């Protein structure tokens, strides 16, 4: 007798009531009245629904739970002879295992650790279903239904938790805002102090550089004045400049002439002013005399030093140093000539300045007298 076995199906054949063989997919031949197909198993993955059942959690809460069990026949022989009804047996095992695993955890954990609960149920079922020729591939919990009172309490707890988190977040926000404001004020104070410090440093450095520059300029001016005073004719020029400034101050003095009287509009000569002018003229003459005297003294000293040098050279180096002695004499003569020219120029300038001042004073006096006569 020919027998066709569909794909993913296994036929268990018995001969005279005893297991003979398993027929796979394809065409097979059986002996009539001798071979009999005792069991037919599908090798596909089967989904076995687990009906609603009650379970008690670790914290003594009764819940209603259901699920789906996915199994597959791995050994048709064990599935046929290991248990009377393999699929029913594995379904009952899934229910008892689910109750046992739920009793190990609290109600809150059943919602949080559903994946871990599924894995624990699968491991427990596979330990017992291996002898039945079945393999539990996975278990999925569909619904977990607590009692109405528990649902209300859970809703209140969830609302309280949300309010708590909202309050915590609000307080954290206020705290962070206060911290941010304090940090901003701190940074502002630090930056302000740094700016003030830098400004003070810059100002001090600028003032120090200015003082240094003024001191250097003053020192340079003093060195130049000292160098000029030490040069030939420097003292006479300085005395002449002092005399000119003195005369200029006298001319600018407001007490040189008296203000005109308000009643007769006549101007009277100021004898003190004229006396000051005469005194200025005498001072200028004295300065000129001193300059001449200083000139004569310098000429005399220079001449004496030159003659002394010439005599020394003549006495010491009479023969071999005639040429050097001639050069020294020429240098001394040049020095005397230069000093003479400079002194004459200074005296001429002083005379010119004094004459100009005299003419100016005379003109002022004449104009004043003429005005008074008119």
């Amino acid at each position: 007798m020919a027998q066709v076995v569909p794909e993913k199906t296994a036929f268990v054949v018995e001969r005279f009531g005893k297991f003979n063989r398993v027929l796979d997919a394809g065409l097979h031949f059986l002996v009539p009245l001798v071979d009999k197909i005792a069991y037919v198993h599908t090798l596909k993955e089967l989904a076995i629904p687990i009906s609603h059942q009650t379970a008690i959690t670790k914290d003594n809460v009764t819940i209603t739970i259901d699920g789906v069990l996915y199994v597959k026949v791995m050994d048709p022989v064990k599935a046929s002879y290991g248990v009377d009804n393999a699929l029913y047996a594995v379904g009952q095992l899934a229910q008892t295992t689910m109750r046992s695993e739920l009793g190990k955890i609290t109600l809150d954990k059943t919602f949080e650790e559903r994946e871990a609960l599924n894995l624990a149920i699968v491991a427990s079922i596979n330990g017992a279903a291996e002898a039945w020729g079945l393999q539990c591939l996975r278990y999925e919990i569909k619904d977990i239904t607590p009692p109405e009172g528990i649902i209300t309490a859970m809703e209140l707890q969830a609302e309280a938790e949300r309010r708590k988190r909202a309050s915590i977040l609000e307080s954290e926000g206020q705290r962070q805002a206060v911290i941010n404001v304090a940090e901003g004020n701190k940074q502002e104070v630090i930056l302000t102090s740094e700016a003030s410090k830098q400004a003070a440093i810059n100002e001090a450095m600028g003032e120090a550089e200015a003082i240094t520059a003024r001191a250097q300029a003053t020192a340079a001016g003093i060195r130049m004045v000292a160098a000029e005073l030490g040069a030939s004719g420097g003292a006479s020029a300085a005395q002449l400049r002092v005399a000119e400034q003195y005369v200029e101050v006298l001319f600018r003095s407001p007490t040189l002439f008296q203000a005109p009287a308000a009643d007769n509009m006549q101007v009277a000569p100021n004898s003190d002013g004229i006396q000051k002018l005469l005194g200025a003229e005498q001072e200028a003459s004295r300065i000129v005399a001193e300059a001449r005297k200083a000139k004569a003294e310098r000429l005399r000293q220079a001449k004496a030093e030159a003659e002394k040098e010439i005599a020394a050279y003549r006495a010491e180096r009479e023969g071999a140093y005639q040429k050097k002695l001639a050069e020294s004499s020429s240098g001394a003569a040049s020095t005397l000539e230069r000093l003479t020219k400079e002194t004459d120029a200074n005296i001429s300038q002083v005379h010119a300045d004094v004459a100009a001042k005299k003419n100016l004073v005379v003109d002022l006096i004449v104009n004043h007298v003429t005005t008074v006569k008119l």
Side-chain angles (χ1 to χ4, degrees):
M1 182 180 63
Q3 181 67 45
V4 177
V5 180
E7 183 69 27
K8 289 292 182 180
T9 304
F11 288 180
V12 178
V13 178
E14 293 180 353
R15 178 171 290 180
F16 298 113
K18 183 180 179 180
F19 172 74
N20 180 260
R21 66 184 184 276
V22 177
L23 301 181
D24 297 329
L27 178 62
H28 300 273
F29 295 94
L30 301 177
V31 178
L33 302 178
V34 175
D35 294 333
K36 182 183 71 170
I37 299 175
Y39 300 98
V40 177
H41 297 286
T42 179
L43 302 180
K44 299 178 182 178
E45 184 177 349
L46 301 175
I48 303 175
I50 306 299
S51 61
H52 289 80
Q53 59 181 332
T54 59
I56 300 176
T57 61
K58 187 177 181 179
D59 51 355
N60 297 323
V61 177
T62 302
I63 60 176
T64 302
I65 189 170
D66 62 350
V68 180
L69 180 65
Y70 296 89
V71 297
K72 185 178 180 181
V73 176
M74 304 301 294
D75 190 346
V77 177
K78 290 182 179 181
S80 300
Y81 301 103
V83 66
D84 184 31
N85 189 341
L87 297 180
Y88 176 77
V90 77
Q92 295 300 313
L93 180 61
Q95 291 182 2
T96 57
T97 304
M98 183 171 55
R99 291 193 186 97
S100 176
E101 293 295 331
L102 287 173
K104 297 178 182 179
I105 58 177
T106 61
L107 179 61
D108 294 336
K109 295 295 183 180
T110 59
F111 298 99
E112 296 176 2
E113 300 181 359
R114 179 174 294 190
E115 184 176 357
L117 182 61
N118 294 336
L119 294 176
I121 294 173
V122 169
S124 299
I125 293 174
N126 283 330
E130 184 180 0
W132 301 338
L134 300 177
Q135 181 182 5
C136 181
L137 300 177
R138 59 188 179 277
Y139 181 86
E140 297 293 339
I141 297 176
K142 292 174 63 177
D143 295 323
I144 299 176
T145 307
E148 293 294 332
I150 298 298
I151 294 175
T152 303
M154 292 173 64
E155 291 178 352
L156 294 176
Q157 181 181 1
E159 184 178 359
E161 287 291 334
R162 286 192 292 269
R163 291 180 179 177
K164 174 184 175 182
R165 287 195 297 267
S167 300
I168 292 174
L169 291 175
E170 184 178 1
S171 63
E172 287 291 335
Q174 294 177 357
R175 173 176 172 270
Q176 191 63 37
V178 173
I179 291 175
N180 292 339
V181 171
E183 286 291 337
N185 294 333
K186 175 184 174 183
Q187 292 296 326
E188 181 182 3
V189 172
I190 292 175
L191 293 176
T192 303
S193 62
E194 289 290 337
S196 301
K197 173 185 175 183
Q198 192 63 35
I201 292 174
N202 294 339
E203 184 178 358
M205 291 178 64
E207 185 176 357
E209 291 179 358
I211 293 173
T212 302
R214 288 195 296 268
Q216 291 177 354
T218 303
I222 292 173
R223 285 194 296 269
M224 292 175 64
V225 171
E228 292 296 331
L229 289 176
S232 177
S236 299
Q239 293 175 355
L240 178 61
R241 181 59 180 168
V242 170
E244 290 177 354
Q245 292 179 355
Y246 182 75
V247 173
E248 184 177 357
V249 169
L250 290 178
F251 282 142
R252 292 180 179 178
S253 177
T255 58
L256 183 61
F257 298 101
Q258 292 181 351
D263 51 354
N264 53 7
M265 299 299 293
Q266 291 183 356
V267 180
N270 189 349
S271 59
D272 292 338
I274 297 174
Q275 188 66 30
K276 289 180 180 179
L277 290 175
L278 295 177
E281 183 179 0
Q282 293 177 0
E283 181 67 20
S285 300
R286 185 183 63 79
I287 291 173
V288 172
E290 289 180 355
R292 289 178 177 176
K293 184 177 180 181
K295 173 197 170 184
E297 182 65 23
R298 285 197 299 274
L299 289 174
R300 185 185 63 79
Q301 292 178 358
K303 185 176 180 180
E305 291 177 358
E307 291 178 353
K308 184 177 180 181
E309 185 178 357
I310 292 171
Y313 273 112
R314 286 178 177 177
E316 186 177 357
R317 306 292 183 186
E318 184 63 30
Y321 296 99
Q322 289 295 330
K323 185 177 181 180
K324 186 175 181 179
L325 181 59
E327 292 177 356
S328 300
S329 301
S330 178
S334 299
T335 302
L336 290 174
E337 184 178 359
R338 180 176 58 80
L339 290 175
T340 302
K341 290 181 179 180
E342 290 179 357
T343 306
D344 292 338
N346 292 333
I347 293 174
S348 300
Q349 185 65 34
V350 170
H351 279 297
D353 292 341
V354 172
K357 296 292 193 273
K358 286 182 178 180
N359 293 332
L360 181 60
V361 171
V362 172
D363 291 340
L364 288 174
I365 295 172
V366 171
N367 292 334
H368 181 69
V369 173
T370 304
T371 302
V372 171
K373 289 182 178 181
L374 292 176

